[in-house]
Amino acid sequence: MSMKGSNKLSISNPKTLLGDTTPAGYNRTKRQFARAFLWLTSLLLLASRPYLSLPASVCAVYTMHGGTWFSHKNFKWMSASIISFCVSLYSVALRVKVNAIDEVVAYELKMSLEIRQRLLEITWGGMLLLCLVLTMKSSLDRMAMNA
């Protein structure tokens, strides 16, 4: 077998570099990494740590941006990553606003913004966690059926 024929998916293959063909499992690996970052994001949002959830959601978006966009699985996780980024960013913005407000002068406004921020974090963090748990459950069910 020639060296040229046995090395079709190597880095030196121009088709792989141009995106014409991808190695088997390439998008699956990206989705797994994105899900790991989304797990971290959802747990940090539920723990009210928006400053830490923001970089985790950025990592999820960055991980998914290189995958195939026309795959429904990739689209689902890319959408979840983008929404997580927006929620984390908005939560950070609300946290900054809350910290800038004087509690003595505008107590009601400060509490209103804190409640809004916390509600946002709990709602999206919970929904994301539910999606991730259901995905994990379905993959475990699939593995049990194949065994």
Side-chain angles (χ1 to χ4, degrees):
M1 186 170 198
S2 71
M3 183 68 136
K4 196 174 189 178
S6 66
N7 208 7
K8 287 191 176 188
L9 293 177
S10 71
I11 294 176
S12 63
N13 185 356
K15 281 190 172 186
T16 303
L17 292 176
L18 294 175
D20 291 343
T21 58
T22 57
Y26 177 77
N27 286 317
R28 183 173 184 242
T29 304
K30 285 193 167 294
R31 285 191 302 271
Q32 288 172 342
F33 276 110
R35 279 195 299 264
F37 287 123
L38 289 173
W39 272 100
L40 183 61
T41 301
S42 67
L43 294 175
L44 288 169
L45 282 172
L46 289 173
S48 189
R49 303 280 188 253
Y51 292 114
L52 297 175
S53 72
L54 186 61
S57 62
V58 167
C59 289
V61 171
Y62 184 74
T63 301
M64 286 305 297
H65 94 282
T68 305
W69 281 76
F70 299 113
S71 163
H72 72 280
K73 292 178 186 176
N74 287 1
F75 182 75
K76 175 175 68 172
W77 293 112
M78 182 59 153
S79 299
S81 299
I82 290 171
I83 293 170
S84 295
F85 170 73
C86 293
V87 166
S88 296
L89 186 63
Y90 187 61
S91 185
V92 166
L94 284 175
R95 175 74 57 98
V96 169
K97 287 179 184 179
V98 164
N99 291 338
I101 295 173
D102 185 19
E103 193 170 311
V104 175
V105 176
Y107 180 77
E108 289 179 14
L109 177 62
K110 185 172 182 143
M111 288 301 114
S112 170
L113 289 176
E114 279 185 13
I115 290 170
R116 184 181 300 168
Q117 174 205 353
R118 199 62 197 122
L119 185 63
L120 177 72
E121 290 172 346
I122 290 172
T123 303
W124 179 248
M127 286 174 51
L128 185 59
L129 194 62
L130 179 66
C131 289
L132 290 165
V133 166
L134 289 175
T135 300
M136 187 173 71
K137 182 191 175 304
S138 69
S139 66
L140 288 175
D141 288 346
R142 235 179 292 123
M143 286 173 35
M145 295 287 278
N146 292 337

